[in-house]
Amino acid sequence: MISFSPYKIIFMFSLLSGSFLVVSSSSWFSAWIGLELNLMSFIPLISSKENQLPSEASLKYFLIQALGSAIIILSSTLTFFIPMISLSFISLALLLKLGAAPFHFWFPQVMEGLNWTQAIILMTIQKLAPMFLISYLSSEYYTHMLLFFGGISSAIIGALGGINQTSLRKILTYSSINHLSWMLFAMLINETSWMIYFLMYTLISASVAFHFASAQTYFFPHLINANYGPLPKIISSMNLYSLGGLPPFSGFIPKWIITQEMIQSSFYLPLFILLLSSLVTLYFYIRITLSSISISSAQMKWDIPLKPLKILPSPLYTSINLFGLLIPSMLLVI
């Protein structure tokens, strides 16, 4: 976990300030400044002198984000001469910063070198600024087509990439890429839809990552060999099912909204691909939960009462992911 030292609190504050600067900016120059402030604040949060993996991850992240910023700067010079080509390159640079397919190659490698707290920031807060900038460009024709093909490729790669993975961080990485495809198509419809989806995705993915962080689980064997009781395992299963969009958990609500709006917008083929990819992501979520619940670690019986419970069920985990169970009853009342 990130220690709350004063300088890291300052970097976290400047990271949020950079994101808010991008969201509220009225020019590409101020948006670029916000992106750079966000980047330079995140690098010290993930770098470490004691471990080689975070340092390598921070270097990879810096190089990719610097490449995206350089493309934005070069493309902005062409705005007055070839505006459509310039906006297309800016959109590609923002997709690269997001880690959307087919520019996703850096995302799993960076995530593998982070702990769960840093992974939460990378999966949620770091996506906020580029997604707002892409939503501003979504009305342009060429950007519209780039978002269309980027959404389809992200759905396919996000679903197929996580099948053979044993690392929980890589599984959540490919799940994030798959969720990004839903948000890209939501941008093509209206702005409110992708903001609702992003908010729900942030809450649910944070609950999943915090649960894994409290259990110190990073790979499949950590879930199987965990010594805590069945209740935390059931809670983690509910978290993963909610993240996969399985009804009636909370993760199904934003997908339900996007599905209805894609049907109204006649996006039938992309919707079919998104739904198939969601089924594939549910497959490896179910594989995780079945193996962790059905297989117990070997331990001596006289050791069981002596070992304290490592994870206490938090109301945050259950309230966020079980909120979807209340929606049908609320609709009946209305």
Side-chain angles (χ1 to χ4, degrees), residues 27 45 52 74 105 121 125 132 142 144-145 147 160 178 192 212 231 243 254 265 273 305 334:
S27 65
L45 291 177
Q52 185 179 1
L74 292 176
F105 50 88
I121 299 174
I125 301 176
F132 263 97
Y142 289 104
H144 189 283
M145 298 304 296
L147 293 182
L160 299 181
N178 182 263
T192 306
F212 288 153
L231 184 57
L243 185 62
S265 301
I273 296 174
I334 294 174

Tab-separated table of all heavy atoms in Angstrom, residues 27 45 52 74 105 121 125 132 142 144-145 147 160 178 192 212 231 243 254 265 273 305 334:
chain	number	residue	atom	x	y	z
A	27	SER	N	-8.590	25.187	-23.682
A	27	SER	CA	-7.672	25.146	-24.817
A	27	SER	C	-6.826	23.887	-24.725
A	27	SER	O	-6.692	23.281	-23.652
A	27	SER	CB	-6.767	26.387	-24.823
A	27	SER	OG	-5.918	26.398	-23.685
A	45	LEU	N	4.835	8.436	-7.384
A	45	LEU	CA	3.985	7.571	-6.566
A	45	LEU	C	4.236	6.094	-6.831
A	45	LEU	O	3.951	5.258	-5.974
A	45	LEU	CB	2.502	7.895	-6.817
A	45	LEU	CG	2.005	9.252	-6.317
A	45	LEU	CD1	0.563	9.460	-6.706
A	45	LEU	CD2	2.161	9.350	-4.811
A	52	GLN	N	12.851	-3.359	-8.003
A	52	GLN	CA	13.131	-3.084	-9.408
A	52	GLN	C	11.857	-3.018	-10.241
A	52	GLN	O	11.791	-2.267	-11.214
A	52	GLN	CB	14.073	-4.156	-9.973
A	52	GLN	CG	14.513	-3.887	-11.402
A	52	GLN	CD	15.466	-4.946	-11.909
A	52	GLN	OE1	15.770	-5.895	-11.186
A	52	GLN	NE2	15.930	-4.795	-13.126
A	74	LEU	N	2.823	17.677	-31.584
A	74	LEU	CA	3.079	17.733	-33.025
A	74	LEU	C	1.790	17.869	-33.822
A	74	LEU	O	1.745	18.570	-34.844
A	74	LEU	CB	3.846	16.485	-33.454
A	74	LEU	CG	5.279	16.359	-32.934
A	74	LEU	CD1	5.889	15.021	-33.353
A	74	LEU	CD2	6.150	17.517	-33.431
A	105	PHE	N	-0.391	-2.455	-25.390
A	105	PHE	CA	0.744	-3.332	-25.100
A	105	PHE	C	1.469	-2.953	-23.812
A	105	PHE	O	2.053	-3.810	-23.150
A	105	PHE	CB	1.720	-3.298	-26.285
A	105	PHE	CG	2.089	-1.912	-26.733
A	105	PHE	CD1	3.146	-1.223	-26.171
A	105	PHE	CD2	1.353	-1.291	-27.738
A	105	PHE	CE1	3.472	0.052	-26.583
A	105	PHE	CE2	1.679	0.002	-28.156
A	105	PHE	CZ	2.743	0.668	-27.574
A	121	ILE	N	-5.227	3.606	-8.874
A	121	ILE	CA	-5.042	4.944	-9.455
A	121	ILE	C	-4.877	4.853	-10.966
A	121	ILE	O	-5.445	5.653	-11.722
A	121	ILE	CB	-3.826	5.636	-8.809
A	121	ILE	CG1	-4.048	5.802	-7.310
A	121	ILE	CG2	-3.572	6.997	-9.454
A	121	ILE	CD1	-2.839	6.352	-6.577
A	125	ILE	N	-8.281	6.948	-11.871
A	125	ILE	CA	-8.015	8.395	-11.933
A	125	ILE	C	-7.217	8.755	-13.178
A	125	ILE	O	-7.470	9.784	-13.820
A	125	ILE	CB	-7.282	8.855	-10.657
A	125	ILE	CG1	-8.127	8.553	-9.417
A	125	ILE	CG2	-6.964	10.340	-10.725
A	125	ILE	CD1	-7.435	8.891	-8.117
A	132	PHE	N	-12.066	12.457	-20.964
A	132	PHE	CA	-12.793	13.707	-21.166
A	132	PHE	C	-12.370	14.376	-22.464
A	132	PHE	O	-13.201	14.905	-23.207
A	132	PHE	CB	-12.562	14.643	-19.977
A	132	PHE	CG	-13.651	14.594	-18.947
A	132	PHE	CD1	-13.512	13.805	-17.825
A	132	PHE	CD2	-14.814	15.327	-19.113
A	132	PHE	CE1	-14.517	13.759	-16.868
A	132	PHE	CE2	-15.824	15.292	-18.169
A	132	PHE	CZ	-15.672	14.498	-17.040
A	142	TYR	N	-13.780	11.595	-38.214
A	142	TYR	CA	-12.647	10.675	-38.150
A	142	TYR	C	-12.439	10.163	-36.722
A	142	TYR	O	-12.105	8.995	-36.510
A	142	TYR	CB	-11.374	11.369	-38.659
A	142	TYR	CG	-11.385	11.604	-40.156
A	142	TYR	CD1	-11.619	12.870	-40.680
A	142	TYR	CD2	-11.179	10.550	-41.037
A	142	TYR	CE1	-11.648	13.083	-42.042
A	142	TYR	CE2	-11.188	10.756	-42.412
A	142	TYR	CZ	-11.433	12.027	-42.910
A	142	TYR	OH	-11.464	12.231	-44.264
A	144	HIS	N	-14.811	9.819	-34.584
A	144	HIS	CA	-15.925	8.890	-34.394
A	144	HIS	C	-15.560	7.505	-34.908
A	144	HIS	O	-15.815	6.489	-34.235
A	144	HIS	CB	-17.160	9.429	-35.121
A	144	HIS	CG	-18.419	8.679	-34.820
A	144	HIS	ND1	-18.711	7.454	-35.386
A	144	HIS	CD2	-19.463	8.983	-34.007
A	144	HIS	CE1	-19.885	7.032	-34.957
A	144	HIS	NE2	-20.363	7.933	-34.113
A	145	MET	N	-14.950	7.433	-36.075
A	145	MET	CA	-14.551	6.137	-36.628
A	145	MET	C	-13.434	5.488	-35.811
A	145	MET	O	-13.416	4.265	-35.607
A	145	MET	CB	-14.104	6.314	-38.091
A	145	MET	CG	-15.195	6.819	-39.013
A	145	MET	SD	-16.674	5.765	-38.992
A	145	MET	CE	-16.006	4.252	-39.660
A	147	LEU	N	-12.907	5.886	-32.571
A	147	LEU	CA	-13.516	5.377	-31.355
A	147	LEU	C	-14.315	4.106	-31.623
A	147	LEU	O	-14.343	3.192	-30.794
A	147	LEU	CB	-14.421	6.437	-30.733
A	147	LEU	CG	-13.752	7.695	-30.185
A	147	LEU	CD1	-14.785	8.614	-29.561
A	147	LEU	CD2	-12.686	7.333	-29.170
A	160	LEU	N	-10.230	-11.719	-24.777
A	160	LEU	CA	-9.362	-12.859	-25.079
A	160	LEU	C	-8.038	-12.789	-24.321
A	160	LEU	O	-7.437	-13.829	-24.045
A	160	LEU	CB	-9.079	-12.914	-26.591
A	160	LEU	CG	-10.312	-13.101	-27.486
A	160	LEU	CD1	-9.894	-13.156	-28.946
A	160	LEU	CD2	-11.063	-14.381	-27.106
A	178	ASN	N	-11.551	-4.121	-21.509
A	178	ASN	CA	-12.884	-4.491	-21.970
A	178	ASN	C	-13.931	-3.469	-21.536
A	178	ASN	O	-14.816	-3.101	-22.318
A	178	ASN	CB	-13.242	-5.881	-21.437
A	178	ASN	CG	-14.597	-6.358	-21.916
A	178	ASN	OD1	-15.596	-6.225	-21.217
A	178	ASN	ND2	-14.640	-6.909	-23.120
A	192	THR	N	-23.509	11.716	-20.804
A	192	THR	CA	-23.970	11.259	-19.490
A	192	THR	C	-23.758	9.763	-19.313
A	192	THR	O	-23.407	9.300	-18.216
A	192	THR	CB	-25.456	11.607	-19.316
A	192	THR	OG1	-25.654	13.002	-19.560
A	192	THR	CG2	-25.927	11.274	-17.912
A	212	PHE	N	-8.491	-7.356	-2.657
A	212	PHE	CA	-7.271	-8.118	-2.932
A	212	PHE	C	-6.077	-7.550	-2.158
A	212	PHE	O	-5.199	-8.296	-1.731
A	212	PHE	CB	-6.970	-8.117	-4.426
A	212	PHE	CG	-7.899	-8.976	-5.233
A	212	PHE	CD1	-8.147	-8.691	-6.574
A	212	PHE	CD2	-8.520	-10.075	-4.672
A	212	PHE	CE1	-8.999	-9.493	-7.320
A	212	PHE	CE2	-9.378	-10.880	-5.409
A	212	PHE	CZ	-9.618	-10.579	-6.731
A	231	LEU	N	-16.584	-16.655	4.184
A	231	LEU	CA	-17.309	-15.410	3.960
A	231	LEU	C	-16.511	-14.389	3.152
A	231	LEU	O	-17.047	-13.806	2.194
A	231	LEU	CB	-17.745	-14.811	5.306
A	231	LEU	CG	-18.609	-13.548	5.222
A	231	LEU	CD1	-19.862	-13.822	4.397
A	231	LEU	CD2	-18.962	-13.044	6.608
A	243	LEU	N	-18.099	-6.779	-11.100
A	243	LEU	CA	-17.202	-6.174	-12.092
A	243	LEU	C	-17.427	-6.748	-13.474
A	243	LEU	O	-17.288	-6.050	-14.483
A	243	LEU	CB	-15.745	-6.399	-11.659
A	243	LEU	CG	-14.661	-5.730	-12.500
A	243	LEU	CD1	-14.813	-4.214	-12.459
A	243	LEU	CD2	-13.279	-6.130	-12.010
A	254	PRO	N	-24.836	-0.216	-15.281
A	254	PRO	CA	-24.340	0.624	-16.389
A	254	PRO	C	-24.332	-0.108	-17.726
A	254	PRO	O	-24.592	0.520	-18.767
A	254	PRO	CB	-22.919	0.994	-15.948
A	254	PRO	CG	-22.545	-0.011	-14.936
A	254	PRO	CD	-23.802	-0.401	-14.246
A	265	SER	N	-29.691	3.506	-30.778
A	265	SER	CA	-28.824	4.133	-31.788
A	265	SER	C	-28.491	3.194	-32.940
A	265	SER	O	-27.669	3.551	-33.797
A	265	SER	CB	-27.522	4.606	-31.125
A	265	SER	OG	-27.781	5.525	-30.091
A	273	ILE	N	-20.902	-7.775	-30.305
A	273	ILE	CA	-19.501	-8.058	-29.964
A	273	ILE	C	-19.227	-7.739	-28.490
A	273	ILE	O	-18.539	-8.492	-27.788
A	273	ILE	CB	-18.569	-7.254	-30.884
A	273	ILE	CG1	-18.741	-7.709	-32.333
A	273	ILE	CG2	-17.107	-7.404	-30.452
A	273	ILE	CD1	-17.968	-6.877	-33.337
A	305	PRO	N	-8.487	-22.676	15.170
A	305	PRO	CA	-8.958	-21.674	16.134
A	305	PRO	C	-7.884	-20.677	16.541
A	305	PRO	O	-8.203	-19.607	17.015
A	305	PRO	CB	-9.383	-22.522	17.339
A	305	PRO	CG	-9.567	-23.899	16.800
A	305	PRO	CD	-8.566	-24.035	15.716
A	334	ILE	N	-41.762	2.436	-7.407
A	334	ILE	CA	-42.102	3.594	-8.239
A	334	ILE	C	-43.309	3.311	-9.126
A	334	ILE	O	-44.226	4.119	-9.283
A	334	ILE	CB	-40.889	3.988	-9.113
A	334	ILE	CG1	-39.756	4.477	-8.206
A	334	ILE	CG2	-41.238	5.067	-10.113
A	334	ILE	CD1	-38.467	4.765	-8.927
